[in-house]
Amino acid sequence: MTTTNDKPRILTGDTPTGRLHLGHWVGSVENRVRLQDEYDCYFLLANMHAFTTRAETPDDIRTDTIEIVRDWLAAGVDPERSCIVLQTEIPAIAEMTWYFAMLLGYGRLMRNPTIKTEIDVKGLGDKYSFGFLMYAVGQIADILAFRPQYVPVGEDQIPHIEMCREIARKFDQLYCGVDPKLDDADYVQGGGVFPVPEGLVGRVARLVGVDGVNKMSKSLNNCIYLSDNEKQVKKKVNKIFTGRQSATEPGDTTNSLFQYVDAFITDEGRVAELKRKYAAGDDIGDGHVKAEVAEAINALLGPMRERRAEFEGPSGEATVIDIIKSGTQRANVVAEETLWMAKEAMKLDFFPRNLSLS
Ligand code: ATP
Ligand code: MG
């Protein structure tokens, strides 16, 4: 099997633990949409990983899997150019997870700050499953299965990308004889199976949620969803807490509300004016700023709502499943090719196999 597209690749994805929110847009999805022409793009539905925290709710995971694809399509992902990939139908990923697990120390994994924060913020205590920790290894396999150059992610994912880069180097050095002194950019040229991929953080690295405290996160009930209607957007923006008492009190333009001003009001002159007045306490209340923020967000989401409507309902769902199937078929060609290259390097190339999705 050979791959058909010579453009450099991008791999990224989302876990179907809920619908997509504005944090996804500014942190990663916006970059994905922008890079579709220049790169061969693979967008992964990490539905297996959704089971690491929600094993008891398979119905919700299925629904969210479909909803996330609706969100991607609404946001501008074009299934003709980019592959939408279902993790559970890419067996090479599950297989590579095993091999990579052997190259990653348990202590190293537990020092990953994103894992620690997730355990803390999601209230997992010491009750998390063995599989929960496996997701971090699995994510390395998600990425490396596609041998990508870039991985567009939010800032919270950078520790995961760093672990992925370590494993790519380790594999290439151990099984492909790559010289450890080589620059990261030269690993493939130096005989490695895997490139050392780079994270690509979006224009807002970490959008705060409407609680004004934690990162906007679908598990934390602090989100503005891409699929929210105008009224919901207004209501949620109104909730953003600043602690400011009056329109004449000098305000802090680095507060949560102004993170939204910076992220969503596109007129730079207006942003500068709002900041100047707010900082001076020049008769500009939080309510006024919030109304402008809500208007800007609704202007962004309006066209998405229209595109999303095409994929609603049972016939829309059937279209979505067709799109997932065709992307997954194309993705399996790449992932199987990668697995075979890895198996050759690991002396596991007893005989090749052919995979088909009927
Ligand atoms: P969960 O609560 O289930 O972890 P999540 O909202 O954190 O969900 P993920 O599926 O874990 O979403 O993340 C998908 C991508 O979106 C990742 O690249 C992540 O870094 C990015 N992302 C998520 N939330 C934000 C945010 N608030 N700001 C910037 N990027 C974000
Ligand atoms: Mg997350």
Side-chain angles (χ1 to χ4, degrees):
M1 275 193 278
T2 50
T3 48
T4 50
N5 193 328
D6 290 332
K7 290 180 191 169
R9 290 197 201 110
I10 279 185
L11 174 285
T12 188
D14 301 303
T15 326
T17 46
R19 286 168 294 147
L20 291 195
H21 52 66
L22 289 175
H24 294 121
W25 172 252
V26 292
S28 174
V29 177
E30 187 178 37
N31 262 341
R32 303 179 201 177
V33 171
R34 186 171 63 81
L35 296 168
Q36 290 183 102
D37 273 334
E38 286 165 66
Y39 291 87
D40 186 21
C41 294
Y42 296 82
F43 301 133
L44 186 87
L45 295 156
N47 61 332
M48 190 181 283
H49 293 184
F51 280 81
T52 66
T53 52
R54 302 205 308 176
E56 64 295 337
T57 56
D59 285 342
D60 291 350
I61 296 173
R62 190 187 171 95
T63 306
D64 288 338
T65 303
I66 302 288
E67 289 298 326
I68 284 199
V69 179
R70 287 186 171 124
D71 285 335
W72 285 350
L73 296 167
V77 167
D78 172 6
E80 294 293 319
R81 283 180 288 168
S82 301
C83 287
I84 291 183
V85 186
L86 189 67
Q87 190 181 45
T88 45
E89 295 311 327
I90 309 284
I93 290 177
E95 292 175 54
M96 277 190 262
T97 301
W98 263 98
Y99 302 132
F100 294 148
M102 260 68 86
L103 303 181
L104 184 67
Y106 178 76
R108 168 69 183 88
L109 175 67
M110 293 309 283
R111 282 194 301 277
N112 179 318
T114 301
I115 297 276
K116 286 193 199 167
T117 310
E118 261 190 292
I119 291 172
D120 187 29
V121 171
K122 293 180 183 171
L124 302 177
D126 59 1
K127 300 276 192 301
Y128 52 83
S129 63
F130 186 76
F132 173 75
L133 298 180
M134 281 294 283
Y135 104 77
V137 190
Q139 192 168 315
I140 294 171
D142 293 338
I143 297 170
L144 294 183
F146 295 90
R147 291 172 283 133
Q149 181 172 358
Y150 290 118
V151 189
V153 284
E155 187 184 53
D156 62 304
Q157 293 298 311
I158 291 300
H160 284 311
I161 304 293
E162 200 40 58
M163 261 184 358
C164 175
R165 290 161 57 82
E166 285 170 28
I167 297 302
R169 288 189 203 103
K170 199 161 174 180
F171 186 102
D172 288 344
Q173 291 168 17
L174 193 61
Y175 297 120
C176 313
V178 170
D179 180 351
K181 290 197 284 296
L182 272 192
D183 282 344
D184 285 344
D186 298 332
Y187 263 61
V188 170
Q189 224 179 354
V193 168
F194 298 109
V196 181
E198 285 176 50
L200 191 72
V201 175
R203 80 190 149 86
V204 182
R206 178 191 178 279
L207 184 72
V208 70
V210 292
D211 58 3
V213 182
N214 292 301
K215 127 185 145 73
M216 186 176 283
S217 169
K218 41 189 152 58
S219 312
L220 297 179
N221 203 15
N222 63 358
C223 302
I224 297 176
Y225 293 103
L226 301 189
S227 48
D228 278 346
N229 64 32
E230 289 199 15
K231 231 169 128 186
Q232 286 167 317
V233 169
K234 279 187 197 152
K235 205 167 152 195
K236 289 181 181 180
V237 169
N238 263 328
K239 277 206 240 165
I240 300 171
F241 181 73
T242 69
R244 187 164 169 258
Q245 302 297 332
S246 79
T248 51
E249 180 183 319
D252 173 8
T253 56
T254 63
N255 68 17
S256 314
L257 179 56
F258 271 81
Q259 218 196 86
Y260 283 77
V261 170
D262 277 325
F264 301 107
I265 297 183
T266 48
D267 178 346
E268 282 175 25
R270 184 62 188 150
V271 171
E273 192 183 354
L274 284 175
K275 282 186 179 170
R276 187 181 51 72
K277 287 190 161 176
Y278 197 78
D282 187 6
D283 200 21
I284 182 151
D286 280 6
H288 180 88
V289 180
K290 286 176 180 177
E292 289 199 31
V293 167
E295 194 182 318
I297 293 173
N298 277 323
L300 169 72
L301 299 187
M304 294 191 199
R305 289 182 193 118
E306 273 173 40
R307 277 195 294 269
R308 201 176 203 285
E310 285 174 47
F311 301 102
E312 300 288 5
S315 76
E317 179 165 328
T319 309
V320 165
I321 291 175
D322 278 347
I323 288 172
I324 297 175
K325 186 174 170 189
S326 110
T328 303
Q329 263 162 342
R330 281 146 66 201
N332 262 323
V333 176
V334 181
E336 285 292 303
E337 181 184 66
T338 306
L339 180 64
W340 182 249
M341 290 161 74
K343 282 181 165 175
E344 281 182 319
M346 297 174 81
K347 313 292 177 214
L348 294 170
D349 54 337
F350 294 101
F351 36 80
R353 73 179 185 198
N354 272 316
L355 196 69
S356 69
L357 295 187
S358 56

